[in-house]
Amino acid sequence: MGGETYTRPAASRYPKFTAGPVGQQIHNIYRDRLGQFTGGGQYEGQNLRGALYEGRASGEEHIKLSVYSPPDLARPTFKDATKNEFKPTIVGESFGPSWSTHWFKIQAKVPTDLVKKELLEFHWDANNEGLVWSEDGEPLQGLTGGGERTEWILPKEFRDGKEHTFYIEMACNGMFGNAGGDIIQPPNPERYFQLSTADIVAVNVEARALYVDFWEIGDAAREFPGDGWESHEALQVGNAIMDAFVAGHGSQKSILKGREIAQKYIGARANSHEVYETNEKPIVFAIGHCHIDTCWLWPWAETKRKVARSWANQCNLMDRYPEHRFACSQAQQYKWLEQLYPSLYDRVKAHVKRGAFQPIGGSWVEHDTNMPSGESLVRQFLYGQRFFESHFGERCQTFWLPDTFGYSSQLPQLCRLAGMSRFFTQKLSWNNINKFPHTTFNWVALDGSQVLCHMAPSETYTADANFGDVKRSVTQHKSMDQDKTSLLVFGKGDGGGGPTFQHLDKLRRCRGISDTVGLLPRVHMGSSVDDFFLALEKRAETGTKFVTWYGELYFELHRGTYTTQANNKWNNRKTEILLHDVEYLATHATLASSSYKYPKKEIDDMWENVLLCQFHDCLPGSSIEMCYDDSDELYAHVFETGEKLVKDAMAVLGYSKHKRGNVNPTALNTLPWHREEILKIPGESQYALIRGNQGTAEVKVLGKSTKASATVKEVKAGLFLLSNDHFDLHIEGGSIVSLIDKKAKREIVAKGQKVNQLVIFDDKPLYWQAWDVEVFHLDSREVLPAGNTLIAENGPHRVSVVTEIKISENSWAKTTISLSAVVEGQQSMVEVDSEVEWRENMKFLKVEFPVNIYNTEASYETQYGIIKRPTHYNTSWDMAKFEVCCHKWADLSENGYGISILNDSKYGFATCGNMMRLSLLRAPKAPDAHADMGRHHIRYAILPHSGPLDHRTVRSAHNFNHPMQLYTSTSGKTPDSSKLLNAISTQGSNSLILDCVKRGEDDEDVSRGELPKRKGRSIILRVYESLGGTSRGGLHVDDSLIKVNKVFKTNILEDDEMELSIKNGVVEIELRPFEVATYRLQL
């Protein structure tokens, strides 16, 4: 130890004596204090909110207001409106009524003291929607009152001290229509809106920025875990900002100081798009979105203006925020914009070109997927993808459907056939029984096709881009074992609007927090939805195995939408059938006559109207009454056009509906199989036997003297026996108390039960009236009393009894049960026709079929296939399916025997044990107070069958929905075209259905020029396998009538994918279970 030198440490500078008591910070008090800084109320004049604006100018000296109010709820164009006289008006005036339009002329002069301020805005608030127009008629900026989006940045030219003119088109409706308080209630027709604000405002840019800084720091203090340093640090920074503001008496210097303090937590680049330009890897990918319901609580006419308002806003934001990316679906809305706002459409198109405005979805509208036919789903993609390709040069790769009420089982297959391998939604997060277990997964269709699906873990498509939204994008992610990334879809939605500047500013701060402090998932902006999915696909390529979900994505909510607005659903089914027939006949007419031109424009217009009406709030029945006035008008136009096209095509083919002397009529069979049916001749009491293949069928008038093969008699008072060679029916009080299959020697009605029993339920869901029917409605089942029954028809070819049933003091049903004579070799069925006067309040009418069949699964027709669902309540997942969607039939079968219930234009069904129920009518009072009120004509049928569920049910249901029509040869002889109508057919397996015959979209004699023409003529055939097994067969073409050069298998967009050989007029085909296959015959 000796010899070393020792240096004493310097004396500590830490204070020796305490300066006084220092207490531990009471976190909840200091955390609650944060709200004082940006809140309203008693401290607003003393806090940051009071410093947001540096000046304000109002009154006639600076802003002169005048107004033109169009009559009769008209919505004139800018050109038409500005031709009219404008009368002076002032702030404080009220404007209405609901749905009216008012055009304001604003003459603004910026005062001298505001001219040099950094940011000048015009603030306008009338608590409704509006659109700013330039003096020369350019749409500039959408406005939403109530503080939602009330600012428009004044152009620099307005700073010259002179008066400048612009216009505001006021729409007298809120973002969510005109209901007032509870938005789903029927709109108030007499709502008025007070203009409360019309000011020129100088914005304190730094104060506004600090407001957003502080907002996100405060969220971090509140939402980060309380036991972590990150929340404590946020609390300290937030309070330090407030202390600086107080110390500086709210001066501009104190605001700048606050911003400097904020950077300790959010970083130095959080006020710029450069915040995203780091090497740090993000896991949350934010995409702007603006969900605009094509109709809902407002009519289509207002949607067209919502599109312009919303998309103008996004174009403006893209000019200010380089990172902003905006995904936007629905080709219909783009078409409206192009037609009605061409200059704004050009702006959108320019942003599409640079990748900021991103068309997505590939469909015509964001449609319902439960009720449209398979061909309608195909056309949603065909028309949507063709629009996007022809207008923007690219097809969509991602199917985008965030708000639809469940997703049918064949969508993955159709997506792949439409060139889309990806699917985005989030609606299943609304399930009210079971929590859907996946975020990112492979969704598998009935045929085995798959799409990569992502459901935003934030569980919304209208996120406010808050701290919590970013956080939940990870904390609610259910697929972290496979991949931790997610999409955050943000922006005002449903009623439009889209992202705001506040959303974009908040996301910048969130990214800054992630890079500076950590813990918050790192969010990124500047990429696309397709970029996100591409990264997922690359993970799959490198070995990640995403979980699978097979079959439908059943939505455990909004089950009432299968039934609400019955007339609208009838229109949908009937126009789909009409379009099938139009295309089939028009295609053959082009083969029969070179002078006949395929009516492509008319067919396109018809399809676009039908597809529009399949929007997910229109077809399901969840819109206001005005929307159904609109859809009724559109459907009427479709029917009128379609009937004319059928008439024109049939004239070319040599047929007319006009009777010609003694010329025997011919029946038109547009279905692809042989049919034999007894049909009542329209306008007469006679019946006819129709027999024939696809095309024209022989009509044999049946005489009244024919030996009775269908009989009816009253066996005792009130009990009637209807018989034919297959069945004996005993009917009492309108219900079937016994139904015996003579050949099978079995009773079909469950012991002690009644089939065709009308029942009514109390129908008061938890909230969403038009949308929902809840499981507890089943507890209120009430059997309607038996009515008086009479014989309505007494053979020999058809017998029937009719029963009048009282539902209530205001409602009744007249039900006719009929049995036709058996046609040899054909399936017999019991048909029911009901006329219902429906004047109920929150009731649900169903018809029951308790059958002597037992199985744990029932089968239901869906698009291009069959879906099986449980008939038991073993689990909550099983019980959740207490009401389901079916198309033309539902079936309950056991080994060797089964019962199919066929329907005409109904979609709601349930099978519980051996009880089958067809849903008929509902009576919700919101959002349409008159939904389903009035007279209804309802058809359904009971089809017992020996053996398994097979093609007999499938074909019978098609036949039931496609009644044959009678025509007469215009020449008095059999036209040559009668063979032509059956020149294309399928052969082989009975499960193969030729579902569509049409001309090629781009044939040179058909094309409307939107995409490159294809030389020559072609015929498109769509075939599907209907029963769920690999099926072989052939496409047969009568080469004496149709010369085919080549045959291609295509996708549903009609791209050739594989050339097939044709030999002796036959193309051999093999389809996997439930495959949808499209073929192109090059003539």
Side-chain angles (χ1 to χ4, degrees):
M1 293 289 298
E4 293 91 346
T5 59
Y6 174 68
T7 304
R8 290 193 181 117
S12 173
R13 289 185 291 176
Y14 191 77
K16 183 175 182 180
F17 297 101
T18 182
V22 177
Q24 185 175 17
Q25 192 179 78
I26 311 300
H27 288 148
N28 64 311
I29 293 177
Y30 279 82
R31 188 167 51 243
D32 290 347
R33 180 200 181 204
L34 299 179
Q36 291 184 353
F37 194 46
T38 55
Q42 61 182 332
Y43 300 122
E44 184 171 348
Q46 302 294 316
N47 64 11
L48 181 60
R49 182 183 287 266
L52 289 175
Y53 305 113
E54 298 179 304
R56 184 179 295 267
S58 58
E60 275 214 23
E61 181 183 356
H62 305 292
I63 300 168
K64 296 176 184 174
L65 301 175
S66 55
V67 63
Y68 163 63
S69 300
D72 305 321
L73 305 185
R75 295 178 172 89
T77 64
F78 175 88
K79 184 178 179 181
D80 290 338
T82 53
K83 289 178 182 177
N84 289 275
E85 179 186 356
F86 282 71
K87 297 180 179 179
T89 189
I90 57 172
V91 170
E93 290 284 348
S94 293
F95 300 90
S98 303
W99 312 117
S100 62
T101 296
H102 303 270
W103 281 84
F104 291 84
K105 183 178 182 180
I106 295 101
Q107 294 163 284
K109 183 179 179 181
V110 178
T112 305
D113 60 325
L114 299 184
V115 165
K116 293 186 179 181
K117 295 295 183 180
E118 184 176 355
L119 177 61
L120 293 180
E121 294 177 342
F122 181 74
H123 286 197
W124 175 274
D125 196 346
N127 204 34
N128 55 19
E129 294 193 272
L131 179 61
V132 180
W133 291 80
S134 69
E135 188 174 15
D136 57 357
E138 293 296 319
L140 300 175
Q141 169 81 30
L143 301 170
T144 307
E148 286 282 330
R149 193 183 323 242
T150 58
E151 76 289 334
W152 171 55
I153 297 176
L154 290 177
K156 291 181 180 179
E157 304 82 62
F158 281 38
R159 294 171 180 263
D160 60 3
K162 298 178 182 178
E163 188 174 88
H164 293 267
T165 299
F166 60 96
Y167 294 85
I168 291 179
E169 177 188 14
M170 175 193 284
C172 283
N173 52 265
M175 179 67 83
F176 295 98
N178 274 314
D182 181 354
I183 65 167
I184 72 163
Q185 293 307 308
N188 174 6
E190 294 297 327
R191 192 176 175 194
Y192 282 75
F193 298 85
Q194 185 180 54
L195 176 59
S196 60
T197 306
D199 297 342
I200 296 171
V201 176
V203 178
N204 185 332
V205 175
E206 292 296 338
R208 180 179 279 180
L210 180 59
Y211 189 94
V212 183
D213 295 344
F214 191 85
W215 188 341
E216 296 310 305
I217 292 168
D219 279 353
R222 288 181 288 269
E223 297 194 40
F224 270 150
D227 59 357
W229 69 268
E230 296 90 349
S231 66
H232 290 265
E233 181 72 12
L235 186 59
Q236 303 314 308
V237 170
N239 276 276
I241 292 171
M242 293 183 68
D243 291 342
F245 186 84
V246 171
H249 306 290
S251 65
Q252 190 67 12
K253 185 176 180 180
S254 71
I255 291 170
L256 293 172
K257 179 64 176 177
R259 296 221 63 208
E260 182 182 326
I261 296 169
Q263 289 184 14
K264 297 177 183 178
Y265 205 83
I266 65 174
R269 298 197 290 183
N271 197 37
S272 163
H273 65 92
E274 294 177 358
V275 71
Y276 299 110
E277 297 172 4
T278 70
N279 293 324
E280 302 294 343
K281 192 173 182 179
I283 60 172
V284 178
F285 295 85
I287 191 79
H289 182 52
C290 169
H291 183 67
I292 303 178
D293 284 318
T294 302
C295 68
W296 180 31
L297 304 177
W298 52 86
W300 285 320
E302 197 53 47
T303 304
K304 296 170 185 178
R305 301 201 295 190
K306 283 177 176 284
V307 169
R309 293 191 286 260
S310 302
W311 295 5
N313 295 342
Q314 300 316 306
C315 289
N316 294 341
L317 287 173
M318 288 169 193
D319 294 337
R320 296 163 56 194
Y321 292 83
E323 74 271 26
H324 185 30
R325 300 293 180 269
F326 179 71
C328 192
S329 63
Q330 307 197 76
Q332 173 69 85
Q333 294 184 6
Y334 286 88
K335 182 174 181 177
W336 281 337
L337 191 76
E338 182 184 26
Q339 291 173 334
L340 301 174
Y341 304 89
S343 63
L344 179 54
Y345 174 79
D346 288 341
R347 285 187 72 194
V348 166
K349 197 167 184 178
H351 284 295
V352 170
K353 190 173 182 179
R354 56 175 282 260
F357 200 112
Q358 300 170 352
I360 201 167
S363 58
W364 190 249
V365 295
E366 287 188 13
H367 52 94
D368 177 74
T369 76
N370 289 312
M371 291 169 282
S373 67
E375 191 60 34
S376 286
L377 294 182
V378 167
R379 299 308 174 95
Q380 287 284 355
F381 292 140
L382 178 70
Y383 280 87
Q385 289 286 51
R386 287 178 64 83
F387 183 92
F388 290 124
E389 183 179 10
S390 63
H391 287 71
F392 305 114
E394 290 184 1
R395 294 172 179 173
C396 300
Q397 299 180 63
T398 301
F399 185 33
W400 183 272
L401 213 57
D403 192 34
T404 291
F405 312 149
Y407 305 94
S408 58
S409 51
Q410 287 286 47
L411 280 175
Q413 179 181 185
L414 298 181
C415 282
R416 298 309 295 258
L417 291 170
M420 293 182 285
S421 59
R422 307 148 181 177
F423 176 52
F424 173 84
T425 186
Q426 66 79 49
K427 197 65 176 182
L428 297 194
S429 67
W430 284 39
N431 280 5
N432 71 345
I433 296 179
N434 297 287
K435 194 79 171 175
F436 191 77
H438 309 305
T439 292
T440 303
F441 59 97
N442 283 316
W443 180 25
V444 185
L446 294 178
D447 78 315
S449 301
Q450 68 177 11
V451 291
L452 183 56
C453 180
H454 180 75
M455 297 189 182
S458 60
E459 297 188 348
T460 181
Y461 52 89
T462 59
D464 280 330
N466 286 325
F467 181 99
D469 294 316
V470 177
K471 182 182 174 186
R472 284 187 290 275
S473 295
V474 168
T475 60
Q476 295 181 169
H477 200 301
K478 305 184 192 77
S479 301
M480 300 284 275
D481 292 345
Q482 291 80 39
D483 182 80
K484 60 181 176 291
T485 63
S486 66
L487 280 174
L488 174 60
V489 181
F490 69 94
K492 305 287 184 181
D494 291 333
T500 65
F501 73 85
Q502 293 97 329
H503 291 152
L504 297 165
D505 285 338
K506 285 189 288 182
L507 287 172
R508 286 177 174 180
R509 272 58 169 194
C510 287
R511 175 58 182 265
I513 291 172
S514 301
D515 288 344
T516 306
V517 176
L519 193 58
L520 183 66
R522 188 169 283 108
V523 66
H524 179 72
M525 281 205 70
S527 57
S528 68
V529 173
D530 287 332
D531 292 335
F532 170 79
F533 274 105
L534 181 60
L536 292 176
E537 291 172 355
K538 287 181 177 178
R539 285 189 63 84
E541 289 173 5
T542 56
T544 298
K545 293 184 178 179
F546 292 106
V547 298
T548 53
W549 184 274
Y550 284 78
E552 69 177 331
L553 294 173
Y554 177 83
F555 184 39
E556 297 179 5
L557 203 66
H558 295 2
R559 303 168 184 89
T561 59
Y562 313 143
T563 305
T564 309
Q565 299 287 1
N567 182 62
N568 201 53
K569 291 170 169 58
W570 186 92
N571 283 333
N572 177 70
R573 179 83 60 88
K574 296 308 178 186
T575 51
E576 289 175 334
I577 291 169
L578 177 60
L579 274 158
H580 168 277
D581 292 353
V582 165
E583 292 182 326
Y584 166 78
L585 294 171
T587 297
H588 287 87
T590 63
L591 301 175
S593 172
S594 59
S595 62
Y596 175 83
K597 181 170 175 57
Y598 191 77
K600 184 67 164 62
K601 181 184 183 304
E602 291 82 359
I603 289 173
D604 286 347
D605 289 345
M606 289 175 67
W607 266 117
E608 288 179 11
N609 285 337
V610 170
L611 299 178
L612 171 58
C613 292
Q614 290 172 350
F615 178 73
H616 69 252
D617 275 308
C618 185
L619 179 55
S622 49
S623 291
I624 61 173
E625 187 172 8
M626 294 173 74
C627 297
Y628 297 106
D629 294 338
D630 288 345
S631 65
D632 285 348
E633 187 177 330
L634 270 192
Y635 279 127
H637 179 66
V638 171
F639 283 121
E640 181 182 359
T641 302
E643 287 161 7
K644 180 180 184 302
L645 295 181
V646 167
K647 179 181 177 182
D648 292 346
M650 287 299 284
V652 171
L653 294 166
Y655 292 96
S656 168
K657 279 205 166 185
H658 296 295
K659 293 182 179 180
R660 289 176 54 85
N662 295 322
V663 177
N664 287 332
T666 297
L668 174 65
N669 173 24
T670 60
L671 293 176
W673 45 70
H674 181 84
R675 293 174 71 173
E676 292 188 35
E677 300 170 17
I678 291 176
L679 176 75
K680 188 172 185 180
I681 299 174
E684 300 182 18
S685 59
Q686 287 184 298
Y687 283 85
L689 174 63
I690 313 293
R691 180 186 288 118
N693 294 320
Q694 177 179 245
T696 55
E698 175 192 4
V699 177
K700 180 182 178 182
V701 177
L702 301 174
K704 292 184 179 179
S705 60
T706 304
K707 181 181 177 182
S709 51
T711 61
V712 59
K713 61 181 178 180
E714 188 171 10
V715 293
K716 68 177 184 179
L719 180 65
F720 296 81
L721 172 63
L722 280 66
S723 297
N724 66 10
D725 292 343
H726 285 178
F727 303 130
D728 282 339
L729 279 80
H730 283 89
I731 298 171
E732 186 174 31
S735 297
I736 301 171
V737 295
S738 174
L739 172 51
I740 294 179
D741 185 327
K742 296 178 181 179
K743 288 188 175 182
K745 298 181 180 179
R746 68 181 290 163
E747 172 65 69
I748 289 164
V749 180
K751 186 175 181 180
Q753 300 293 312
K754 297 178 180 180
V755 160
N756 197 53
Q757 176 68 64
L758 289 176
V759 290
I760 197 165
F761 300 83
D762 192 63
D763 189 16
K764 298 184 182 73
L766 296 176
Y767 177 65
W768 301 96
Q769 282 195 47
W771 295 259
D772 288 347
V773 56
E774 299 290 0
V775 65
F776 54 73
H777 89 285
L778 295 169
D779 301 332
S780 64
R781 175 179 176 270
E782 179 184 346
V783 175
L784 292 179
N788 184 39
T789 303
L790 299 171
I791 294 173
E793 195 168 7
N794 193 357
H797 310 296
R798 184 178 178 91
V799 293
S800 61
V801 295
V802 61
T803 305
E804 293 188 10
I805 298 172
K806 183 178 181 179
I807 298 173
S808 70
E809 290 300 319
N810 300 311
S811 303
W812 52 262
K814 184 185 292 184
T815 299
T816 302
I817 302 174
S818 301
L819 190 65
S820 294
V822 173
V823 177
E824 186 176 353
Q826 300 299 307
Q827 199 84 352
S828 187
M829 68 177 74
V830 179
E831 296 184 50
V832 183
D833 291 82
S834 292
E835 183 180 7
V836 180
E837 180 67 20
W838 185 245
R839 300 286 177 186
E840 294 304 292
N841 186 1
M842 301 182 194
K843 299 293 181 181
F844 199 151
L845 181 67
K846 303 186 183 186
V847 60
E848 294 184 339
F849 310 91
V851 294
N852 191 22
I853 301 287
Y854 293 92
N855 200 324
T856 57
E857 289 183 324
S859 299
Y860 303 85
E861 186 189 40
T862 188
Q863 299 96 340
Y864 297 130
I866 298 169
I867 186 163
K868 294 184 178 181
R869 300 182 177 109
T871 62
H872 55 76
Y873 293 161
N874 281 1
T875 70
S876 59
W877 292 89
D878 300 324
M879 189 173 180
K881 296 178 181 178
F882 62 83
E883 181 85 5
V884 298
C885 184
C886 77
H887 278 232
K888 295 183 287 296
W889 58 264
D891 181 87
L892 184 62
S893 292
E894 60 190 29
N895 183 40
Y897 203 86
I899 305 294
S900 298
I901 305 299
L902 317 183
N903 75 78
D904 179 357
S905 308
K906 295 297 176 185
Y907 295 92
F909 208 93
T911 307
C912 180
N914 68 332
M915 176 65 79
M916 306 175 78
R917 285 195 187 101
L918 177 64
S919 297
L920 302 181
L921 294 168
R922 296 187 69 222
K925 299 305 173 187
D928 177 2
H930 306 107
D932 286 318
M933 296 298 98
R935 191 68 55 90
H936 296 268
H937 297 272
I938 299 169
R939 295 176 65 237
Y940 51 90
I942 306 164
L943 178 70
H945 57 84
S946 293
L949 168 66
D950 60 19
H951 70 280
R952 293 169 298 170
T953 289
V954 175
R955 292 185 177 185
S956 295
H958 274 82
N959 295 348
F960 189 68
N961 280 266
H962 287 71
M964 289 187 279
Q965 302 291 318
L966 299 185
Y967 286 84
T968 304
S969 168
T970 53
S971 67
K973 302 176 182 179
T974 302
D976 295 337
S977 63
S978 62
K979 294 181 179 179
L980 181 63
L981 286 168
N982 192 35
I984 300 172
S985 60
T986 56
Q987 58 187 35
S989 172
N990 285 328
S991 72
L992 296 176
I993 295 180
L994 176 59
D995 195 49
C996 173
V997 178
K998 63 183 286 290
R999 290 294 307 278
E1001 292 290 315
D1002 296 314
D1003 289 357
E1004 58 187 353
D1005 65 327
V1006 170
S1007 170
R1008 297 175 66 192
E1010 64 270 38
L1011 289 170
K1013 294 181 180 180
R1014 178 182 269 150
K1015 288 186 177 180
R1017 300 192 299 166
S1018 63
I1019 298 174
I1020 302 297
L1021 309 177
R1022 191 129 37 241
V1023 180
Y1024 73 97
E1025 197 288 315
S1026 62
L1027 294 174
T1030 299
S1031 297
R1032 298 178 181 87
L1035 301 174
H1036 177 262
V1037 182
D1038 187 336
D1039 53 14
S1040 69
L1041 298 171
I1042 302 174
K1043 301 297 182 183
V1044 177
N1045 290 326
K1046 293 182 179 180
V1047 179
F1048 298 90
K1049 190 172 185 180
T1050 77
N1051 57 25
I1052 61 175
L1053 305 182
E1054 302 178 16
D1055 301 322
D1056 294 341
E1057 294 187 337
M1058 179 192 308
E1059 186 170 357
L1060 305 176
S1061 62
I1062 180 168
K1063 187 175 181 180
N1064 298 323
V1066 176
V1067 181
E1068 293 186 358
I1069 60 174
E1070 179 177 307
L1071 272 64
R1072 62 184 177 272
F1074 298 125
E1075 180 183 357
V1076 180
T1078 305
Y1079 303 93
R1080 189 174 72 86
L1081 310 182
Q1082 181 72 50
L1083 305 184

